[in-house]
Amino acid sequence: TLKGVFYQRAKLIHPQEDLLKGFHPDDRKHHIIINVGGIKYLLPWTTLDEFPLTRLGQLKFCNNFDDILNICDDYDVTCNEFFFDRNPGAFRTILTFLRVGKLRLLREMCALSFQEELLYWGIEEDNLDSCCKRRYLQKMEEFTEISEREDDLLENETTGETVEETKIGLCMKKLQDMVERPQSGLPGKVFACLSVLFVTITAVNLSISTMPGLREEEEKGECSQMCYNIFIVESVCVAWFSLEFLLRFIQAKSKFAFLRRPLTLIDIIAILPYYITLLVDTTSVGYKKPSSGNIYLDKVGLVLRILRALRILYVMRLARHSLGLQTLGLTARRCTREFGLLLLFLCVAIALFAPLLYVIENEMADSQEFTSIPACYWWAVITMTTVGYGDMVPRSIPGQVVALSSILSGILLMAFPVTSIFHTFSRSYIELKQEQERIMYR
């Protein structure tokens, strides 16, 4: 029987086979026996000629027993058998690479363990096939992020342990546990509950302040008891948020790194509008009302209304205490490529269907709803995202066919990256949950 390339370049030796039977001393010139984790393979020396820099390839250049033991864990002279105390599952992929030059990553294998095996056997990561290389690099990036977070946590714990046991040091440690680790004890849980409560009150207060009656009072420059109560509630909430920000700033070891965090920037953007609005309202006392036609005051009033609308950013503070919101942010950061592909697909389809519908409707329909191609762009966006406002509807039969095609295309194009985003979301949620459990265990 004509043997294949796998049999010619390496052969698995079954445990029942007797190696000493039929063994000749001259065979070691042509074959070697590799024992990895109890599984034996028979390799011709010619298999290793193409990989002289690997660990197995260096065996050919060993001249004495000490050189051999520097490469493998043990050596049997009688059978010419080399012992390696390594993962036998990972060695299967290494052996496949030595046979046919195909390096693959097993789905059930840890990427970090596989990297250690590649370093041990002397094989570069660039030899990975393209189908596995992206998954391998993604796994390594995720592991790097996890290790960085764990290093920061361990560094904070180590720094806290090395701090001199003074009253100030103990107070700072308790303050850090209260504001950063809600699971650390009762003070942390109470602090987190109060933070969530004030965020909820702020959202409700902002919604009430936009009622028509209160808006009319604001435009007239009047302030009823309801308006005054809303201002008092908002002032109390902002005072709490300011206190919380100061406590986090005080306990932070690196002030600059603290100010660069995304959630810290959101806190600053959400808190500052209140103080700016209060300052402008105080300095503008005695001027005419914005409704009087004063252009300067009209612009100031517009800016104040925009700043007050920024108070809705307080809701983003819930990400400090919500594992779901943290998972959403981590998924968005990891799936930038998938979101870019989705946007590219939609832009190409919109640029295709909008001019086509514009030409058809202007030539074949009686009603001129589609006045320009930019207006058709709006219709294409609403249609392909399956929103369907119905403000612009094609009347002709060919136009309706184009609309049906755009709807089906939108469904398919939006479904393509969803699977990858869903898997990334699930993986990110599991990672953050395991990290939270490790913190609670510590």
Side-chain angles (χ1 to χ4, degrees):
T1 305
L2 183 62
K3 301 297 183 182
V5 63
F6 282 91
Y7 186 88
Q8 295 174 6
R9 298 181 69 87
K11 174 187 175 184
L12 176 65
I13 300 177
H14 297 284
Q16 297 83 3
E17 295 187 34
D18 189 2
L19 298 177
L20 296 178
K21 183 179 179 181
F23 177 79
H24 300 284
D26 293 337
D27 289 347
R28 70 182 60 194
K29 298 179 181 179
H30 306 287
H31 299 84
I32 59 172
I33 298 174
I34 303 297
N35 189 326
V36 181
I39 300 178
K40 301 178 183 180
Y41 301 90
L42 183 66
L43 271 73
W45 281 114
T46 55
T47 302
L48 305 176
D49 290 341
E50 300 179 7
F51 310 98
L53 300 180
T54 61
R55 181 174 288 268
L56 293 178
Q58 295 175 10
L59 291 175
K60 195 172 183 179
F61 304 101
C62 295
N63 298 321
N64 51 55
F65 191 76
D66 293 335
D67 293 341
I68 293 176
L69 291 183
N70 288 331
I71 296 177
C72 63
D73 297 314
D74 201 359
Y75 174 61
D76 188 356
V77 181
T78 58
C79 300
N80 197 30
E81 184 176 357
F82 299 87
F83 295 88
F84 295 89
D85 188 16
R86 304 298 297 184
N87 185 357
F91 184 73
R92 285 186 296 160
T93 61
I94 305 299
L95 187 62
T96 303
F97 176 70
L98 298 177
R99 284 167 167 173
V100 291
K102 299 290 185 180
L103 185 60
R104 303 287 173 84
L105 174 62
L106 298 179
R107 187 170 296 274
E108 65 273 9
M109 184 180 299
C110 173
L112 182 62
S113 176
F114 185 69
Q115 184 188 44
E116 294 176 354
E117 294 295 327
L118 291 180
L119 292 174
Y120 178 82
W121 295 108
I123 297 176
E124 296 181 357
E125 299 175 357
D126 296 336
N127 294 316
L128 271 169
D129 289 352
S130 57
C131 60
C132 300
K133 192 170 185 178
R134 180 182 176 185
R135 182 160 55 93
Y136 171 78
L137 294 177
Q138 184 179 9
K139 291 284 187 181
M140 295 306 299
E141 289 177 359
E142 294 175 2
F143 173 77
T144 303
E145 293 179 1
I146 295 174
S147 61
E148 288 178 355
R149 290 197 294 265
E150 290 184 349
D151 292 341
D152 293 340
L153 180 62
L154 292 175
E155 182 180 356
N156 293 336
E157 291 180 353
T158 305
T159 306
E161 292 175 357
T162 55
V163 172
E164 185 179 358
E165 295 296 330
T166 60
K167 292 184 178 181
I168 298 178
L170 291 175
C171 290
M172 294 299 293
K173 182 66 171 60
K174 292 181 180 179
L175 179 62
Q176 183 180 14
D177 290 338
M178 183 182 69
V179 301
E180 297 292 345
R181 304 187 184 98
Q183 301 86 5
S184 60
L186 183 60
K189 294 179 180 179
V190 173
F191 187 85
C193 292
L194 286 176
S195 181
V196 174
L197 178 63
F198 277 105
V199 170
T200 306
I201 293 175
T202 300
V204 174
N205 191 58
L206 178 62
S207 302
I208 295 175
S209 64
T210 58
M211 298 295 289
L214 295 176
R215 292 187 60 184
E216 291 178 1
E217 292 178 0
E218 182 181 357
E219 292 176 357
K220 295 178 182 179
E222 301 174 356
C223 185
S224 62
Q225 185 64 32
M226 176 66 74
C227 178
Y228 182 74
N229 294 336
I230 290 175
F231 175 75
I232 295 299
V233 172
E234 181 184 358
S235 301
V236 172
C237 293
V238 172
W240 166 260
F241 295 140
S242 303
L243 175 63
E244 183 180 352
F245 178 81
L246 290 176
L247 292 178
R248 294 184 186 277
F249 181 78
I250 291 172
Q251 62 84 31
K253 295 179 175 60
S254 176
K255 311 300 182 184
F256 182 71
F258 171 77
L259 294 176
R260 290 178 56 188
R261 294 178 184 174
L263 290 178
T264 303
L265 296 178
I266 291 175
D267 289 345
I268 295 175
I269 296 175
I271 294 174
L272 279 181
Y274 172 81
Y275 294 104
I276 295 175
T277 304
L278 193 63
L279 180 63
V280 173
D281 287 341
T282 304
T283 55
S284 61
V285 174
Y287 287 95
K288 296 179 181 180
K289 303 301 179 186
S291 58
S292 62
N294 191 310
I295 299 178
Y296 172 75
L297 289 182
D298 288 343
K299 293 180 178 180
V300 171
L302 177 62
V303 172
L304 292 180
R305 287 191 292 271
I306 294 175
L307 291 177
R308 287 170 183 171
L310 291 177
R311 288 179 294 175
I312 198 62
L313 292 177
Y314 284 124
V315 179
M316 298 299 296
R317 295 170 55 87
L318 294 176
R320 295 185 184 274
H321 315 287
S322 173
L323 184 62
L325 291 178
Q326 294 175 11
T327 306
L328 181 63
L330 184 59
T331 304
R333 188 174 63 185
R334 290 179 174 177
C335 293
T336 53
R337 182 178 300 178
E338 285 77 6
F339 288 131
L341 287 176
L342 178 60
L343 182 61
L344 176 62
F345 294 159
L346 289 177
C347 290
V348 171
I350 289 169
L352 176 65
F353 287 111
L356 182 61
L357 187 70
Y358 171 76
V359 173
I360 292 175
E361 286 297 305
N362 278 271
E363 294 294 333
M364 305 186 65
D366 296 333
S367 61
Q368 302 296 326
E369 296 185 19
F370 300 89
T371 56
S372 63
I373 291 181
C376 293
Y377 284 156
W378 167 252
W379 170 87
V381 170
I382 298 304
T383 303
M384 297 194 68
T385 54
T386 66
V387 176
Y389 286 142
D391 53 348
M392 301 170 64
V393 181
R395 304 298 179 181
S396 63
I397 299 298
Q400 294 174 356
V401 173
V402 172
L404 177 62
S405 302
S406 64
I407 293 172
L408 296 178
S409 301
I411 294 174
L412 293 176
L413 293 178
M414 295 185 67
F416 287 152
V418 167
T419 304
S420 177
I421 296 174
F422 170 74
H423 287 304
T424 304
F425 181 86
S426 301
R427 191 167 56 250
S428 301
Y429 178 78
I430 293 173
E431 290 178 5
L432 291 177
K433 191 174 182 180
Q434 291 176 349
E435 181 182 357
Q436 192 178 60
E437 291 176 353
R438 285 195 296 267
I439 293 175
M440 294 178 64
Y441 177 76
R442 288 195 183 98

